[in-house]
Amino acid sequence: AQERTLDRDCTTLSRHVLQQLQSFSAEAQDLSALMTRIALAAKLISRRLSRAGLVEGVLGVTGTVNVQGESVKKMDIYANDVFISVFKQSGLVCRLASEEMEKPYYIPENCPIGRYTLLYDPIDGSSNIDINLNIGSIFSIRKQEGDDLNGEAEDLLQNGQKQIAAGYILYGPSTMLVYSIGTGVHSFTLDPSLGEFILSKENMQVPDHGPIYSVNEGNFWQWDESIRDYIRYVHRHEGYTARYSGALVGDFHRILSQGGVFLYPGTLKKPEGKLRLLYETAPLAFLMEQAGGRASTGTQNLMEVVPKALHQRTPLIIGSKEDVALVESFIQERA
Ligand code: AHG
Ligand code: MN
Ligand code: MN
Ligand code: MN
């Protein structure tokens, strides 16, 4: 893009969303308002994280276990509640479904038809909080279909094509927000002095192939033979390098930026893998497809998976199309 001459030309997130839809239709206004709320949540979480160790309530665990069976970190709950509070005032969202809540949270004044539902992973990679390494938040926005008067939110149990927006925040050396509303993938960097997310990269495109494979090799003993075959292949061929941070958002952002593949395959203990479809793998699959890459369960296009339950997990193979295809070829060979 042509170099911006004056920083006053900086593109803010809300302006960018409206530009993307080239119209000021009701949906465009809604999406712009929704993204502005996401940005507010991101700023509040980023600010809190920057005080880890300096104030109470950032580091450490709550002592409770969530519906996933995971020990809940204080930041998991803080971030979960930040999203609820910023969307309460929005009027646009009736339901929020998150990794940290067994059932969706309803905002009565915006229900039953609040038009949109926010699905989110408030803190992704929470094992990195206490060691000051990168973590993220992941979000997905869907339209509410029907009244959901019984509070079961069955209309959320649909495939990833039903997403109208998806993205993540990466709390790293800088805080970045990456999103798509179906018109490409765009990244913004938080300028703390302005308190604004400023456009840093438009239309991110993942290379067709990249050198990185990102997987927790500590699970080798638990994998299907086909995945072991793939790992043996990259161990024996030049041109591959391993990178794994333990936080999906950071590992995904590296693949999106440099190419390659991230895998979280099924294991003996978790045959469907560890990652959750509605607020981890489906939003990232939406982004990766928008960036010219692919996402697969190993045997199915990830965007086609229809969940039976809100917290359903799926195996994940995501990244450059040639690298995803290589992994799938080992699976097909043994099918
Ligand atoms: P979360 O912190 O939201 O529970 O997600 C953690 C996930 C994901 O961020 C990461 O890729 C994966 O867990 C790492 O799992 P392993 O430690 O099993 O590799
Ligand atoms: Mn968790
Ligand atoms: Mn996560
Ligand atoms: Mn999480």
Side-chain angles (χ1 to χ4, degrees):
Q2 160 237 354
E3 277 305 303
R4 275 188 295 280
T5 47
L6 294 169
D7 63 7
R8 73 162 181 265
D9 293 346
C10 61
T11 301
T12 61
L13 183 58
S14 41
R15 180 172 144 196
H16 190 263
V17 177
L18 289 174
Q19 280 171 348
Q20 284 309 302
L21 289 161
Q22 261 105 40
S23 73
F24 291 75
S25 68
E27 172 149 339
Q29 299 281 8
D30 285 352
L31 281 173
S32 183
L34 286 166
M35 290 308 300
T36 302
R37 293 285 163 189
I38 295 275
L40 177 57
K43 289 183 238 180
L44 287 163
I45 295 165
S46 177
R47 185 180 64 173
R48 180 97 171 185
L49 286 168
S50 67
R51 294 178 177 156
L54 302 175
V55 298
E56 273 309 303
V58 187
L59 301 175
V61 294
T62 59
T64 60
V65 175
N66 65 13
V67 65
Q68 320 288 341
E70 301 166 345
S71 154
V72 178
K73 307 290 191 307
K74 290 177 186 167
M75 269 310 293
D76 284 326
I77 297 304
Y78 175 83
N80 187 72
D81 297 350
V82 161
F83 279 94
I84 292 174
S85 61
V86 303
F87 278 95
K88 259 192 173 133
Q89 308 139 16
S90 74
L92 292 165
V93 165
C94 165
R95 299 172 303 192
L96 295 95
S98 120
E99 174 196 337
E100 302 304 334
M101 300 187 293
E102 182 159 5
K103 295 274 183 205
Y105 179 98
Y106 289 80
I107 303 176
E109 53 274 34
N110 299 347
C111 287
I113 297 290
R115 278 178 284 169
Y116 302 97
T117 296
L118 179 79
L119 297 115
Y120 63 113
D121 177 0
I123 293 289
D124 170 70
S126 42
S127 59
N128 279 0
I129 298 170
D130 291 9
I131 52 168
N132 194 32
L133 289 181
N134 64 290
I135 51 179
S137 303
I138 307 172
F139 64 88
S140 171
I141 296 171
R142 293 180 182 227
K143 273 218 167 85
Q144 176 166 329
E145 294 177 2
D147 294 349
D148 181 20
L149 294 178
N150 64 356
E152 288 306 312
E154 286 100 345
D155 63 300
L156 292 180
L157 303 182
Q158 299 190 63
N159 70 30
Q161 310 289 2
K162 299 296 279 188
Q163 298 175 100
I164 56 169
Y168 57 84
I169 296 102
L170 174 56
Y171 309 99
S174 71
T175 294
M176 290 188 84
L177 187 152
V178 178
Y179 89 103
S180 177
I181 50 176
T183 59
V185 177
H186 316 289
S187 78
F188 292 74
T189 300
L190 178 62
D191 178 339
S193 65
L194 274 179
E196 284 285 359
F197 279 97
I198 304 300
L199 180 66
S200 37
K201 197 162 175 42
E202 257 190 329
N203 291 317
M204 295 180 80
Q205 286 295 304
V206 66
D208 286 346
H209 165 67
I212 294 158
Y213 70 100
S214 185
V215 67
N216 181 344
E217 301 208 23
N219 290 330
F220 188 93
W221 64 282
Q222 294 193 63
W223 287 333
D224 190 88
E225 209 50 42
S226 57
I227 300 294
R228 294 181 183 177
D229 287 345
Y230 167 71
I231 296 296
R232 291 181 191 112
Y233 177 88
V234 294
H235 283 177
R236 293 169 184 159
H237 288 76
E238 190 181 358
Y240 290 95
T241 191
R243 289 283 185 278
Y244 193 75
S245 77
L248 171 60
V249 166
D251 290 330
F252 177 89
H253 189 71
R254 183 191 291 110
I255 298 293
L256 176 64
S257 308
Q258 300 172 351
V261 61
F262 173 95
L263 307 89
Y264 204 109
T267 64
L268 284 179
K269 289 181 187 169
K270 291 193 173 86
E272 287 308 299
K274 172 180 183 182
L275 301 173
R276 285 67 43 138
L277 176 67
L278 283 172
Y279 40 79
E280 287 181 309
T281 61
L284 296 183
F286 181 88
L287 291 172
M288 190 50 80
E289 287 198 352
Q290 283 287 318
R294 286 195 50 224
S296 163
T297 62
T299 53
Q300 185 183 7
N301 175 346
L302 203 288
M303 289 284 275
E304 299 306 328
V305 177
V306 177
K308 293 183 188 56
L310 201 57
H311 300 290
Q312 176 167 322
R313 300 169 193 259
T314 62
L316 178 66
I317 301 159
I318 190 166
S320 298
K321 52 185 162 189
E322 290 173 17
D323 299 299
V324 172
L326 178 64
V327 180
E328 288 176 323
S329 69
F330 285 97
I331 295 170
Q332 274 132 28
E333 229 167 75
R334 284 194 177 263

